[in-house]
Amino acid sequence: MERVASIVEGLTAVRKAIEASKSFVEGLPFFARGFAEQDFASGTGMSYGRWFELLESVVERLNRLGSLPASELGGLAADCRKLAAHLERYAQYLETVPGKLRMAASFIQLDEQVLKSAEEATRFAESVRELKRVLEALAGELEKSAKP
């Protein structure tokens, strides 16, 4: 159960990072906003809204895993696998953020702090990959438990 709490904590950190990204994008000039939203969705495989829906759904069920009916374990395992696949794409996307922001800075004014914090994205990518690995292992266990 301790591992599940750690996974929930990691998924919560991912959600906060995606919320920060969305907030940043919403503050961009109109012409850049659409490009940035599309870049996020194509890079990570899901829109901001879809990320939030999937994260909330998985976290909610993980938080009640001990009382989750066996009939729901297979669905949770499938969503964990889906989320893990998207976490890899998100990690790959994070690794591109610093370069994209440096390029964008030649077109629009970006705060120096934004550029510095973008460098942290590549470090966060490794945490996201570790979370992906743990989530995949949990999905495997859930699949075994779901089988009669």
Side-chain angles (χ1 to χ4, degrees):
M1 225 34 191
E2 184 177 312
R3 181 172 53 143
V4 172
S6 175
I7 291 171
V8 167
E9 185 178 306
L11 293 176
T12 300
V14 166
R15 181 185 171 92
K16 286 179 183 175
I18 293 174
E19 285 172 345
S21 171
K22 184 176 188 287
S23 178
F24 171 76
V25 167
E26 288 172 346
L28 291 174
F30 178 76
F31 74 91
R33 191 176 322 136
F35 173 77
E37 288 172 349
Q38 180 58 36
D39 183 62
F40 178 85
S42 65
T44 67
M46 293 190 289
S47 67
Y48 289 115
R50 186 66 191 117
W51 268 100
F52 297 143
E53 289 170 10
L54 184 56
L55 286 166
E56 286 173 24
S57 173
V58 169
V59 166
E60 185 273 328
R61 288 178 286 166
L62 288 176
N63 279 330
R64 58 184 182 91
L65 187 58
S67 63
L68 202 64
S71 61
E72 290 185 38
L73 293 178
L76 176 56
D79 281 350
C80 286
R81 289 218 182 269
K82 178 180 180 178
L83 185 53
H86 284 286
L87 285 172
E88 177 57 35
R89 289 187 67 177
Y90 180 55
Q92 291 170 1
Y93 173 81
L94 288 170
E95 292 170 339
T96 69
V97 167
K100 289 177 181 180
L101 284 179
R102 282 192 296 274
M103 184 181 73
S106 64
F107 299 103
I108 59 175
Q109 182 69 30
L110 291 176
D111 186 278
E112 188 64 33
Q113 185 58 38
V114 168
L115 295 173
K116 285 182 181 178
S117 67
E119 296 301 326
E120 294 174 21
T122 54
R123 289 189 291 279
F124 188 53
E126 189 50 44
S127 298
V128 170
R129 283 197 173 98
E130 180 56 31
L131 177 60
K132 171 199 168 234
R133 287 187 282 276
V134 176
L135 195 58
E136 286 174 332
L138 178 63
E141 292 173 19
L142 291 170
E143 289 164 348
K144 288 177 187 170
S145 297
K147 292 181 182 174

